[in-house]
Amino acid sequence: MSADTRTAQTLRLGAERGWREFRGLLASGNELFSAVVMSLAFVLVVFFQRNETLEDTGISTATAALPGIVAMMLVYNGLVGTATYLTTEREDGTLLRAKALPGGIASYLWGKTVFMLLNTLLSVVLVLVAGLLLFDGVADGLADGGPQMLGMMVLGLAACLPIGAILGTCFDNPRTAIGSLMIPFMGLTVISGVLMPVSWMPDWVQTLVQFTPLYWLGLGMRAAMLPDTMLALEIGGSWRVPETLGVLALWAVAGFALALVLLRRMTRTVNGATLDESRLKAMQRV
Amino acid sequence: MAVQNNLRRPSERPPEAPEREPAVDVRGLRMRYGTHDVLNGVDLRVEQGEVLVLLGPNGAGKTTTVEILEGFRGRSSGEVSVLGVDPDRGNEAWRARLGVVLQSWRDHAKWRVRELLAHFAAHYAPYGTPERPRPRDVDELLETVGLTEQADAKVGSLSGGQRRRMDVAVGIVGRPELLFLDEPTAGFDPVARRDFHALVQRLAGEEGTTILLTTHDLDEAEKLADRILILSGGTIVAGGSPAALAAQLESDAEVRWTHRGERQVTFTPDGTGFARKLFERHGEEIEDLQVRRPGLEEVYLEMVRLHESGRAEEAAGSIPLRRQQ
């Protein structure tokens, strides 16, 4: 069989897997509910500030925060979500099953990517619809910067999914994964300029956050959706579009390369004995 | 398991040809974790079309052996060939010729049974050959393992027994040439167990599938095996067809007697003949005569007992004969 047909087969089977799992999420009350709550919680937080104006920009605090919330949902899903799914499915035997099939690991990983794309799209759509209904100026922002925002979404996920996969290989089980990742993630959202302008942060924090994809993705989303009157609140008073593209692309490429190596190593160590061990541990905790 | 009769395929089980390449060939397989040796030089050979049962107590190294053959874990040393390929270097086409029955836990809980089986089946489609069409027809397979009624049920809603049947279906959906079954009937009730045995016999008989099955249950081994290998303390300590193995392990009878108040013991292949000579020579001076033949079961149970008390090496040495067929 040629490599082309094999790739086509992997893409098709992965798409099937991703779609089926996404449909499963929509059909399951619990998971859909938590996706909705997670997406709308932050919208609700800024909802109470919808009548306040951010400094002298003429933009309501809520509207100004919305692009950051979109960026946060992307990073949360791409990073914490991916890591959690990966550790869960290594523990419950999904990955071992994939390993027993010809081309199974490839179709599994592509399937997971498709699933995370759909999953993230759902979160973003929820945030945007809520924003459109509740806040002024969101419709204008989307009309102007919709395509740019879509591009940012794709780039942002490309940057975050590999990091999520890398983190997913670092934890033994989903409970420690989510426990270890949530606190740093929450901390990061506070300092990265997605919930409040990064220019309010001390200088050293501003320097620090410029190493994270979350800051740049948030910046990219604001560049797409907010008017230039908001520039006063950004580092250097500029949207820094080329830098944004460059940093996110760098994260994507480096992350992808490292993720491939680590995933290969991780799948090599998946076997029945490690599965039994983790099953036993999980049972003890339940 | 309501086993249906639809696993036939056109080509017959190939005739016996001893010089044919074995399905599995293992020499000097060793596995060491830190300072602990799990496998100490295992040699085993599975001929094409054969049902080989690897019998041994828990902790004997059965799962480790099978997972090395499946390509799921590396090995410390030794030569391993599975369908002519070293599992460490097996590609996807090699993988497509193997079937692995895994014990599922809670994976794919939200998938429907037929949906999941069809998804897995599609992975084998590029690897079909005229004599071994891949994958199997999913609906026929569901019928074979008795899950037709559960075809649209969620995997997570299946009972334990149904789930295990689905595991078997997943293992054979690619019409494997070599099927691995690691402790397949653990947790089965007697009916499910009997049905499962019938399915294994059908796979081996009508499809000529080579099967390597592990179990710690002697009855199961005797029922299914063309050949049994007993694994203990990380080595193969005895092997042969169930009948040959029983004969081999029974060959030394233990004879105990008292002669003029002195207790004597000897081991001999012909206990009855020995006793007859004893009486001919000493007549009534012989008292307390006992002839004991430790059978396969007794030998095996003794081995398990030693194993469970943590004396694995002694257990390996407790097998009276190390001859291998």
Side-chain angles (χ1 to χ4, degrees):
Chain A
M1 189 183 46
S2 79
D4 276 356
T5 17
R6 209 180 313 198
T7 310
Q9 148 110 350
T10 300
L11 293 181
R12 192 176 59 75
L13 288 173
E16 179 183 74
R17 165 172 285 270
W19 172 245
R20 288 249 156 86
E21 289 185 351
F22 183 64
R23 225 183 40 189
L25 180 141
L26 292 184
S28 126
N30 270 343
E31 284 183 45
L32 186 60
F33 181 74
S34 50
V36 171
V37 168
M38 186 69 205
S39 305
L40 298 188
F42 291 98
V43 175
L44 190 71
V45 169
V46 293
F47 175 73
F48 298 107
Q49 302 168 310
R50 69 190 179 286
N51 296 324
E52 292 166 24
T53 306
L54 198 59
E55 297 188 357
D56 47 4
T57 57
I59 298 288
S60 95
T61 307
T63 309
L66 207 64
I69 294 175
V70 170
M72 201 168 73
M73 295 320 303
L74 278 168
V75 176
Y76 177 77
N77 277 302
L79 228 136
V80 184
T82 305
T84 312
Y85 276 111
L86 212 59
T87 43
T88 304
E89 298 190 339
R90 187 173 36 163
E91 188 189 62
D92 73 12
T94 307
L95 215 60
L96 186 60
R97 267 206 202 287
K99 203 176 165 181
L101 292 169
I105 291 286
S107 79
Y108 167 81
L109 288 176
W110 174 237
K112 200 86 278 161
T113 309
V114 171
F115 172 72
M116 292 315 297
L117 284 174
L118 293 168
N119 204 351
T120 308
L121 200 64
L122 174 74
S123 301
V124 171
V125 166
L126 283 170
V127 170
L128 288 179
V129 168
L132 278 171
L133 295 176
L134 298 174
F135 311 141
D136 297 330
V138 175
D140 294 342
L142 274 180
D144 286 347
Q148 200 182 331
M149 203 194 117
L150 213 62
M152 269 297 134
M153 264 183 69
V154 173
L155 189 59
L157 273 178
C160 292
L161 282 177
I163 309 173
I166 291 167
L167 292 172
T169 65
C170 300
F171 297 99
D172 279 345
N173 67 68
R175 295 160 297 277
T176 50
I178 202 146
S180 320
L181 293 177
M182 269 317 260
I183 304 292
F185 176 76
M186 288 303 180
L188 199 61
T189 59
V190 173
I191 61 171
S192 294
V194 295
L195 289 178
M196 59 187 97
V198 73
S199 52
W200 293 1
M201 294 291 149
D203 282 350
W204 67 271
V205 173
Q206 291 189 28
T207 311
L208 188 72
V209 297
Q210 291 185 63
F211 288 99
T212 70
L214 182 56
Y215 164 76
W216 291 99
L217 193 57
L219 179 65
M221 289 292 171
R222 289 194 295 279
M225 291 176 69
L226 298 180
D228 289 349
T229 48
M230 297 293 296
L231 275 175
L233 295 172
E234 300 295 348
I235 296 172
S238 155
W239 294 125
R240 298 198 285 171
V241 176
E243 288 95 324
T244 305
L245 297 178
V247 172
L248 290 178
L250 200 66
W251 269 103
V253 172
F256 187 73
L258 185 60
L260 272 189
V261 175
L262 291 180
L263 284 171
R264 198 163 292 152
R265 195 157 74 189
M266 180 186 87
T267 53
R268 254 208 306 274
T269 63
V270 169
N271 56 49
T274 48
L275 192 64
D276 282 345
E277 232 168 74
S278 50
R279 177 184 339 205
L280 221 65
K281 277 188 203 154
M283 298 291 194
Q284 283 165 354
R285 263 186 221 102
V286 168
Chain B
M1 207 183 304
V3 178
Q4 303 294 317
N5 208 7
N6 54 14
L7 281 170
R8 286 203 194 87
R9 72 187 174 99
S11 58
E12 284 297 297
R13 189 174 183 174
E16 299 302 333
E19 72 277 14
R20 255 183 335 159
E21 185 184 68
V24 176
D25 197 2
V26 174
R27 283 166 212 205
L29 176 61
R30 289 176 180 278
M31 189 71 201
R32 166 182 283 254
Y33 295 107
T35 57
H36 177 55
D37 285 315
V38 180
L39 299 176
N40 290 307
V42 168
D43 295 315
L44 73 87
R45 207 177 141 96
V46 189
E47 304 300 337
Q48 286 181 35
E50 183 183 36
V51 179
L52 182 92
V53 172
L54 201 53
L55 175 70
N58 294 329
K62 300 190 298 290
T63 298
T64 305
T65 305
V66 170
E67 290 201 327
I68 289 170
L69 300 184
E70 290 165 342
F72 282 178
R73 64 167 76 210
R75 58 184 187 266
S76 301
S77 67
E79 280 172 47
V80 179
S81 159
V82 174
L83 299 176
V85 174
D86 182 337
D88 275 353
R89 286 190 279 279
N91 60 11
E92 304 298 337
W94 171 77
R95 169 72 55 208
R97 299 166 64 200
L98 303 181
V100 178
V101 174
L102 296 164
Q103 295 205 19
S104 64
W105 173 28
R106 57 185 187 196
D107 60 288
H108 295 97
K110 277 185 276 180
W111 290 61
R112 296 183 192 282
V113 174
R114 183 193 282 116
E115 196 177 83
L116 183 63
L117 216 47
H119 175 73
F120 285 165
H123 286 78
Y124 292 92
Y127 303 98
T129 60
E131 63 170 26
R132 250 189 142 77
R134 294 188 167 104
R136 276 179 214 281
D137 181 87
V138 169
D139 287 313
E140 271 179 28
L141 180 56
L142 284 170
E143 207 178 319
T144 301
V145 299
L147 284 176
T148 303
E149 280 175 37
Q150 284 76 32
D152 293 318
K154 295 241 173 79
V155 171
S157 73
L158 297 181
S159 72
Q162 291 167 342
R163 219 171 153 149
R164 299 305 316 283
R165 282 186 254 161
M166 196 203 70
D167 293 339
V168 173
V170 171
I172 63 176
V173 71
R175 211 182 292 276
E177 287 153 59
L178 170 62
L179 180 64
F180 292 103
L181 295 151
D182 191 13
E183 299 274 351
T185 55
F188 271 27
D189 65 38
V191 177
R193 196 181 176 79
R194 197 196 56 210
D195 289 343
F196 174 79
H197 289 165
L199 176 63
V200 169
Q201 281 159 346
R202 179 158 308 129
L203 283 170
E206 289 167 10
E207 300 213 354
T209 310
T210 308
I211 295 177
L212 176 57
L213 183 147
T214 74
T215 183
H216 58 260
D217 180 347
L218 180 66
D219 282 342
E220 184 163 276
E222 285 186 298
K223 196 166 293 171
L224 295 175
D226 291 328
R227 216 151 50 87
I228 299 175
L229 293 180
I230 299 182
L231 184 67
S232 177
T235 46
I236 305 288
V237 293
S241 70
L245 193 61
Q248 181 190 329
L249 294 177
E250 279 168 3
S251 60
D252 273 11
E254 182 191 73
V255 186
R256 288 174 182 275
W257 70 95
T258 309
H259 182 224
R260 293 179 183 165
E262 205 172 314
R263 296 174 63 85
Q264 309 270 1
V265 62
T266 194
F267 293 90
T268 165
D270 180 13
T272 315
F274 184 87
R276 191 179 301 119
K277 281 188 194 133
L278 213 57
F279 281 122
E280 279 166 8
R281 198 175 304 164
H282 302 292
E284 292 190 2
E285 288 173 7
I286 302 297
E287 287 168 41
D288 285 343
L289 177 75
Q290 287 179 26
V291 181
R292 227 173 116 263
R293 291 185 158 276
L296 181 53
E297 184 169 10
E298 202 175 334
V299 170
Y300 179 64
L301 288 178
E302 170 71 0
M303 198 174 84
V304 172
R305 195 184 59 74
L306 288 171
H307 232 289
E308 283 173 352
S309 58
R311 288 137 71 194
E313 267 146 44
E314 195 178 329
S318 76
I319 301 291
L321 289 177
R322 280 163 177 264
R323 262 182 275 137
Q324 235 185 288
Q325 307 291 100

